Amino acid sequence: RARDYLHKTGRFIVIGGIVSPVHDSYGKQGLVSSRHRLIMCQLAVQNSDWIRVDPWECYQDTWQTTCSVLEHHRDLMKRVTGCILSNVNTPSMTPVIGQPQNETPQPIYQNNNVPAKPTAAKILGKVGESLSRICCVRPPVERFTFVDENANLGTVMRYEEIELRILLLCGSDLLESFCIPGLWNEADMEVIVGDFGIVVVPRDAADTDRIMNHSSILRKYKNNIMVVKDDINHPMSVVSSTKSRLALQHGDGHVVDYLSQPVIDYILKSQLYINASG
């Protein structure tokens, strides 16, 4: 849904997405092992040609903040591509060509027929306990190649007038959590909203303008927050990990509205979310 909306704005070309499940030590009640969550996420996106699951966050020694995960992906993309990564509202117009050397390209996603001149974007999402990020590529792009971030950094890549941007993709419930005093580190909030930016998918007809007006940082960087407003009745607007778990616990057949069948089959086989504690 977010990808479609960003395409409609004419400002972005979405070139890929990363789902990054949170570390086991995050501490949320009912959080199942990252081993299970990684598998469920992989099953959920197995037929997607633009979304993949990244295990880096799960494999760290301890929980990582949202800010540190975004910075990891930004720094890794810099090393892989040699491209400039910019703030949402201050795109660089400098043509960039990065050529790490000496091997045959191994692209994960490639498009040789990109229409002229919108900004291109890479989406990542908050799926249940997963966080998502969006990368954007800019401006006139005749050809672009996105390389898997876990690929050999020596892989040859050529980027012509490309600029990548990374944004956090989330539901309006996460946006609202920025307004809870003491929940988020304010310096991290400044970086997340000010340096990276956010794409918000409203849930249950949430009033995102009201939410943003309750936080000085959200008000300050309001132009860095893009709210997907194309269709408040879109079926994805009611999807949430909490509703999925409750549906599973209660044997509610509507769970098929939230989860794909391979994920449901894995949950049942592994006997996850059987009781109220997760």
Side-chain angles (χ1 to χ4, degrees), residues 21-28 31-37 57-64:
V22 75
H23 193 274
D24 284 340
S25 63
Y26 177 59
K28 181 174 181 178
L31 185 68
V32 302
S33 165
S34 59
R35 176 176 65 86
H36 290 306
R37 290 182 287 112
E57 189 174 349
C58 289
Y59 289 171
Q60 301 311 295
D61 292 336
T62 187
W63 169 72
Q64 302 294 305

PDB file of all heavy atoms in Angstrom, residues 21-28 31-37 57-64:
ATOM      1  N   PRO A  21      13.313  -7.938  11.680  1.00  0.00           N
ATOM      2  CA  PRO A  21      12.725  -8.318  12.973  1.00  0.00           C
ATOM      3  C   PRO A  21      13.590  -7.868  14.149  1.00  0.00           C
ATOM      4  O   PRO A  21      14.817  -7.876  14.080  1.00  0.00           O
ATOM      5  CB  PRO A  21      12.671  -9.848  12.894  1.00  0.00           C
ATOM      6  CG  PRO A  21      12.685 -10.155  11.430  1.00  0.00           C
ATOM      7  CD  PRO A  21      13.553  -9.106  10.818  1.00  0.00           C
ATOM      8  N   VAL A  22      12.918  -7.497  15.230  1.00  0.00           N
ATOM      9  CA  VAL A  22      13.609  -6.955  16.397  1.00  0.00           C
ATOM     10  C   VAL A  22      14.353  -8.057  17.159  1.00  0.00           C
ATOM     11  O   VAL A  22      14.016  -9.253  17.056  1.00  0.00           O
ATOM     12  CB  VAL A  22      12.591  -6.239  17.315  1.00  0.00           C
ATOM     13  CG1 VAL A  22      11.745  -7.247  18.085  1.00  0.00           C
ATOM     14  CG2 VAL A  22      13.280  -5.269  18.255  1.00  0.00           C
ATOM     15  N   HIS A  23      15.356  -7.660  17.919  1.00  0.00           N
ATOM     16  CA  HIS A  23      16.168  -8.583  18.716  1.00  0.00           C
ATOM     17  C   HIS A  23      15.336  -9.216  19.835  1.00  0.00           C
ATOM     18  O   HIS A  23      14.384  -8.615  20.335  1.00  0.00           O
ATOM     19  CB  HIS A  23      17.343  -7.795  19.321  1.00  0.00           C
ATOM     20  CG  HIS A  23      18.417  -8.662  19.898  1.00  0.00           C
ATOM     21  ND1 HIS A  23      18.362  -9.142  21.192  1.00  0.00           N
ATOM     22  CD2 HIS A  23      19.576  -9.127  19.361  1.00  0.00           C
ATOM     23  CE1 HIS A  23      19.453  -9.863  21.432  1.00  0.00           C
ATOM     24  NE2 HIS A  23      20.204  -9.872  20.333  1.00  0.00           N
ATOM     25  N   ASP A  24      15.724 -10.428  20.227  1.00  0.00           N
ATOM     26  CA  ASP A  24      14.988 -11.135  21.282  1.00  0.00           C
ATOM     27  C   ASP A  24      14.956 -10.379  22.602  1.00  0.00           C
ATOM     28  O   ASP A  24      14.023 -10.526  23.392  1.00  0.00           O
ATOM     29  CB  ASP A  24      15.613 -12.518  21.525  1.00  0.00           C
ATOM     30  CG  ASP A  24      15.257 -13.521  20.433  1.00  0.00           C
ATOM     31  OD1 ASP A  24      14.269 -13.293  19.722  1.00  0.00           O
ATOM     32  OD2 ASP A  24      15.987 -14.526  20.293  1.00  0.00           O
ATOM     33  N   SER A  25      15.983  -9.573  22.871  1.00  0.00           N
ATOM     34  CA  SER A  25      16.045  -8.878  24.162  1.00  0.00           C
ATOM     35  C   SER A  25      15.253  -7.574  24.168  1.00  0.00           C
ATOM     36  O   SER A  25      15.360  -6.790  25.115  1.00  0.00           O
ATOM     37  CB  SER A  25      17.507  -8.588  24.539  1.00  0.00           C
ATOM     38  OG  SER A  25      18.120  -7.718  23.597  1.00  0.00           O
ATOM     39  N   TYR A  26      14.435  -7.349  23.138  1.00  0.00           N
ATOM     40  CA  TYR A  26      13.598  -6.142  23.099  1.00  0.00           C
ATOM     41  C   TYR A  26      12.701  -6.051  24.330  1.00  0.00           C
ATOM     42  O   TYR A  26      12.425  -4.974  24.845  1.00  0.00           O
ATOM     43  CB  TYR A  26      12.763  -6.155  21.819  1.00  0.00           C
ATOM     44  CG  TYR A  26      11.799  -5.008  21.675  1.00  0.00           C
ATOM     45  CD1 TYR A  26      12.246  -3.685  21.675  1.00  0.00           C
ATOM     46  CD2 TYR A  26      10.433  -5.235  21.516  1.00  0.00           C
ATOM     47  CE1 TYR A  26      11.359  -2.626  21.528  1.00  0.00           C
ATOM     48  CE2 TYR A  26       9.544  -4.184  21.369  1.00  0.00           C
ATOM     49  CZ  TYR A  26      10.006  -2.888  21.371  1.00  0.00           C
ATOM     50  OH  TYR A  26       9.130  -1.845  21.239  1.00  0.00           O
ATOM     51  N   GLY A  27      12.244  -7.208  24.805  1.00  0.00           N
ATOM     52  CA  GLY A  27      11.540  -7.228  26.087  1.00  0.00           C
ATOM     53  C   GLY A  27      10.025  -7.146  26.006  1.00  0.00           C
ATOM     54  O   GLY A  27       9.365  -7.041  27.039  1.00  0.00           O
ATOM     55  N   LYS A  28       9.465  -7.199  24.816  1.00  0.00           N
ATOM     56  CA  LYS A  28       8.004  -7.130  24.712  1.00  0.00           C
ATOM     57  C   LYS A  28       7.379  -8.444  25.152  1.00  0.00           C
ATOM     58  O   LYS A  28       7.821  -9.526  24.753  1.00  0.00           O
ATOM     59  CB  LYS A  28       7.607  -6.821  23.264  1.00  0.00           C
ATOM     60  CG  LYS A  28       6.108  -6.696  23.070  1.00  0.00           C
ATOM     61  CD  LYS A  28       5.766  -6.256  21.650  1.00  0.00           C
ATOM     62  CE  LYS A  28       4.269  -6.105  21.471  1.00  0.00           C
ATOM     63  NZ  LYS A  28       3.919  -5.623  20.108  1.00  0.00           N
ATOM     64  N   LEU A  31       6.783 -11.872  22.964  1.00  0.00           N
ATOM     65  CA  LEU A  31       7.666 -11.883  21.798  1.00  0.00           C
ATOM     66  C   LEU A  31       8.296 -13.267  21.654  1.00  0.00           C
ATOM     67  O   LEU A  31       9.037 -13.713  22.526  1.00  0.00           O
ATOM     68  CB  LEU A  31       8.760 -10.825  21.970  1.00  0.00           C
ATOM     69  CG  LEU A  31       9.705 -10.600  20.791  1.00  0.00           C
ATOM     70  CD1 LEU A  31       8.969  -9.970  19.619  1.00  0.00           C
ATOM     71  CD2 LEU A  31      10.892  -9.724  21.210  1.00  0.00           C
ATOM     72  N   VAL A  32       7.996 -13.940  20.559  1.00  0.00           N
ATOM     73  CA  VAL A  32       8.558 -15.280  20.362  1.00  0.00           C
ATOM     74  C   VAL A  32       9.985 -15.157  19.848  1.00  0.00           C
ATOM     75  O   VAL A  32      10.445 -14.093  19.423  1.00  0.00           O
ATOM     76  CB  VAL A  32       7.704 -16.124  19.394  1.00  0.00           C
ATOM     77  CG1 VAL A  32       6.284 -16.256  19.905  1.00  0.00           C
ATOM     78  CG2 VAL A  32       7.733 -15.551  17.986  1.00  0.00           C
ATOM     79  N   SER A  33      10.698 -16.263  19.879  1.00  0.00           N
ATOM     80  CA  SER A  33      12.098 -16.295  19.481  1.00  0.00           C
ATOM     81  C   SER A  33      12.293 -15.727  18.068  1.00  0.00           C
ATOM     82  O   SER A  33      11.470 -15.946  17.171  1.00  0.00           O
ATOM     83  CB  SER A  33      12.605 -17.735  19.518  1.00  0.00           C
ATOM     84  OG  SER A  33      13.826 -17.862  18.818  1.00  0.00           O
ATOM     85  N   SER A  34      13.396 -15.023  17.892  1.00  0.00           N
ATOM     86  CA  SER A  34      13.701 -14.463  16.561  1.00  0.00           C
ATOM     87  C   SER A  34      13.842 -15.563  15.525  1.00  0.00           C
ATOM     88  O   SER A  34      13.611 -15.336  14.327  1.00  0.00           O
ATOM     89  CB  SER A  34      14.977 -13.619  16.617  1.00  0.00           C
ATOM     90  OG  SER A  34      16.075 -14.388  17.061  1.00  0.00           O
ATOM     91  N   ARG A  35      14.207 -16.759  15.948  1.00  0.00           N
ATOM     92  CA  ARG A  35      14.293 -17.882  15.002  1.00  0.00           C
ATOM     93  C   ARG A  35      12.947 -18.091  14.324  1.00  0.00           C
ATOM     94  O   ARG A  35      12.859 -18.240  13.106  1.00  0.00           O
ATOM     95  CB  ARG A  35      14.729 -19.156  15.737  1.00  0.00           C
ATOM     96  CG  ARG A  35      14.753 -20.401  14.853  1.00  0.00           C
ATOM     97  CD  ARG A  35      15.288 -21.589  15.635  1.00  0.00           C
ATOM     98  NE  ARG A  35      14.409 -21.966  16.726  1.00  0.00           N
ATOM     99  CZ  ARG A  35      13.370 -22.799  16.585  1.00  0.00           C
ATOM    100  NH1 ARG A  35      13.077 -23.307  15.391  1.00  0.00           N
ATOM    101  NH2 ARG A  35      12.625 -23.122  17.624  1.00  0.00           N
ATOM    102  N   HIS A  36      11.875 -18.075  15.123  1.00  0.00           N
ATOM    103  CA  HIS A  36      10.536 -18.248  14.557  1.00  0.00           C
ATOM    104  C   HIS A  36      10.125 -17.015  13.759  1.00  0.00           C
ATOM    105  O   HIS A  36       9.544 -17.118  12.670  1.00  0.00           O
ATOM    106  CB  HIS A  36       9.517 -18.475  15.681  1.00  0.00           C
ATOM    107  CG  HIS A  36       9.643 -19.794  16.369  1.00  0.00           C
ATOM    108  ND1 HIS A  36       9.623 -21.002  15.681  1.00  0.00           N
ATOM    109  CD2 HIS A  36       9.784 -20.105  17.681  1.00  0.00           C
ATOM    110  CE1 HIS A  36       9.727 -21.998  16.544  1.00  0.00           C
ATOM    111  NE2 HIS A  36       9.829 -21.481  17.768  1.00  0.00           N
ATOM    112  N   ARG A  37      10.416 -15.832  14.294  1.00  0.00           N
ATOM    113  CA  ARG A  37       9.970 -14.611  13.622  1.00  0.00           C
ATOM    114  C   ARG A  37      10.649 -14.413  12.269  1.00  0.00           C
ATOM    115  O   ARG A  37      10.033 -13.955  11.308  1.00  0.00           O
ATOM    116  CB  ARG A  37      10.180 -13.402  14.540  1.00  0.00           C
ATOM    117  CG  ARG A  37       9.213 -13.406  15.722  1.00  0.00           C
ATOM    118  CD  ARG A  37       9.352 -12.189  16.626  1.00  0.00           C
ATOM    119  NE  ARG A  37      10.562 -12.246  17.432  1.00  0.00           N
ATOM    120  CZ  ARG A  37      11.599 -11.454  17.313  1.00  0.00           C
ATOM    121  NH1 ARG A  37      11.599 -10.490  16.385  1.00  0.00           N
ATOM    122  NH2 ARG A  37      12.644 -11.573  18.107  1.00  0.00           N
ATOM    123  N   GLU A  57      19.615  -7.345  12.597  1.00  0.00           N
ATOM    124  CA  GLU A  57      19.152  -6.843  13.898  1.00  0.00           C
ATOM    125  C   GLU A  57      19.019  -7.976  14.909  1.00  0.00           C
ATOM    126  O   GLU A  57      19.405  -7.841  16.070  1.00  0.00           O
ATOM    127  CB  GLU A  57      17.818  -6.117  13.712  1.00  0.00           C
ATOM    128  CG  GLU A  57      17.336  -5.364  14.915  1.00  0.00           C
ATOM    129  CD  GLU A  57      16.088  -4.537  14.622  1.00  0.00           C
ATOM    130  OE1 GLU A  57      15.710  -4.391  13.434  1.00  0.00           O
ATOM    131  OE2 GLU A  57      15.497  -4.031  15.595  1.00  0.00           O
ATOM    132  N   CYS A  58      18.495  -9.112  14.466  1.00  0.00           N
ATOM    133  CA  CYS A  58      18.327 -10.265  15.352  1.00  0.00           C
ATOM    134  C   CYS A  58      19.656 -10.862  15.788  1.00  0.00           C
ATOM    135  O   CYS A  58      19.770 -11.412  16.892  1.00  0.00           O
ATOM    136  CB  CYS A  58      17.532 -11.356  14.635  1.00  0.00           C
ATOM    137  SG  CYS A  58      15.797 -10.977  14.392  1.00  0.00           S
ATOM    138  N   TYR A  59      20.668 -10.752  14.936  1.00  0.00           N
ATOM    139  CA  TYR A  59      21.936 -11.427  15.193  1.00  0.00           C
ATOM    140  C   TYR A  59      22.908 -10.610  16.044  1.00  0.00           C
ATOM    141  O   TYR A  59      24.003 -11.073  16.349  1.00  0.00           O
ATOM    142  CB  TYR A  59      22.614 -11.775  13.864  1.00  0.00           C
ATOM    143  CG  TYR A  59      21.944 -12.891  13.096  1.00  0.00           C
ATOM    144  CD1 TYR A  59      22.329 -13.188  11.793  1.00  0.00           C
ATOM    145  CD2 TYR A  59      20.933 -13.655  13.669  1.00  0.00           C
ATOM    146  CE1 TYR A  59      21.723 -14.207  11.073  1.00  0.00           C
ATOM    147  CE2 TYR A  59      20.318 -14.672  12.967  1.00  0.00           C
ATOM    148  CZ  TYR A  59      20.713 -14.955  11.665  1.00  0.00           C
ATOM    149  OH  TYR A  59      20.114 -15.967  10.965  1.00  0.00           O
ATOM    150  N   GLN A  60      22.534  -9.415  16.442  1.00  0.00           N
ATOM    151  CA  GLN A  60      23.411  -8.612  17.297  1.00  0.00           C
ATOM    152  C   GLN A  60      23.415  -9.173  18.719  1.00  0.00           C
ATOM    153  O   GLN A  60      22.572  -9.983  19.089  1.00  0.00           O
ATOM    154  CB  GLN A  60      22.963  -7.150  17.283  1.00  0.00           C
ATOM    155  CG  GLN A  60      22.972  -6.514  15.899  1.00  0.00           C
ATOM    156  CD  GLN A  60      24.273  -6.761  15.162  1.00  0.00           C
ATOM    157  OE1 GLN A  60      25.334  -6.302  15.557  1.00  0.00           O
ATOM    158  NE2 GLN A  60      24.192  -7.511  14.061  1.00  0.00           N
ATOM    159  N   ASP A  61      24.408  -8.736  19.500  1.00  0.00           N
ATOM    160  CA  ASP A  61      24.539  -9.253  20.866  1.00  0.00           C
ATOM    161  C   ASP A  61      23.394  -8.809  21.773  1.00  0.00           C
ATOM    162  O   ASP A  61      23.081  -9.481  22.753  1.00  0.00           O
ATOM    163  CB  ASP A  61      25.864  -8.803  21.478  1.00  0.00           C
ATOM    164  CG  ASP A  61      27.061  -9.461  20.806  1.00  0.00           C
ATOM    165  OD1 ASP A  61      26.875 -10.553  20.228  1.00  0.00           O
ATOM    166  OD2 ASP A  61      28.158  -8.890  20.843  1.00  0.00           O
ATOM    167  N   THR A  62      22.801  -7.670  21.449  1.00  0.00           N
ATOM    168  CA  THR A  62      21.709  -7.157  22.273  1.00  0.00           C
ATOM    169  C   THR A  62      20.761  -6.328  21.406  1.00  0.00           C
ATOM    170  O   THR A  62      21.007  -6.134  20.210  1.00  0.00           O
ATOM    171  CB  THR A  62      22.259  -6.300  23.431  1.00  0.00           C
ATOM    172  OG1 THR A  62      21.182  -5.951  24.321  1.00  0.00           O
ATOM    173  CG2 THR A  62      22.924  -5.024  22.913  1.00  0.00           C
ATOM    174  N   TRP A  63      19.691  -5.863  22.011  1.00  0.00           N
ATOM    175  CA  TRP A  63      18.695  -5.059  21.288  1.00  0.00           C
ATOM    176  C   TRP A  63      19.317  -3.796  20.727  1.00  0.00           C
ATOM    177  O   TRP A  63      20.145  -3.141  21.360  1.00  0.00           O
ATOM    178  CB  TRP A  63      17.565  -4.715  22.264  1.00  0.00           C
ATOM    179  CG  TRP A  63      16.610  -3.691  21.738  1.00  0.00           C
ATOM    180  CD1 TRP A  63      15.687  -3.864  20.750  1.00  0.00           C
ATOM    181  CD2 TRP A  63      16.488  -2.329  22.168  1.00  0.00           C
ATOM    182  NE1 TRP A  63      14.996  -2.699  20.533  1.00  0.00           N
ATOM    183  CE2 TRP A  63      15.463  -1.733  21.391  1.00  0.00           C
ATOM    184  CE3 TRP A  63      17.139  -1.554  23.125  1.00  0.00           C
ATOM    185  CZ2 TRP A  63      15.082  -0.412  21.554  1.00  0.00           C
ATOM    186  CZ3 TRP A  63      16.756  -0.233  23.282  1.00  0.00           C
ATOM    187  CH2 TRP A  63      15.737   0.323  22.501  1.00  0.00           C
ATOM    188  N   GLN A  64      18.916  -3.435  19.524  1.00  0.00           N
ATOM    189  CA  GLN A  64      19.386  -2.231  18.855  1.00  0.00           C
ATOM    190  C   GLN A  64      18.247  -1.217  18.764  1.00  0.00           C
ATOM    191  O   GLN A  64      17.099  -1.594  18.510  1.00  0.00           O
ATOM    192  CB  GLN A  64      19.865  -2.563  17.434  1.00  0.00           C
ATOM    193  CG  GLN A  64      20.978  -3.593  17.382  1.00  0.00           C
ATOM    194  CD  GLN A  64      22.258  -3.092  18.005  1.00  0.00           C
ATOM    195  OE1 GLN A  64      22.772  -2.041  17.607  1.00  0.00           O
ATOM    196  NE2 GLN A  64      22.783  -3.816  18.976  1.00  0.00           N
TER     197      GLN A  64
END
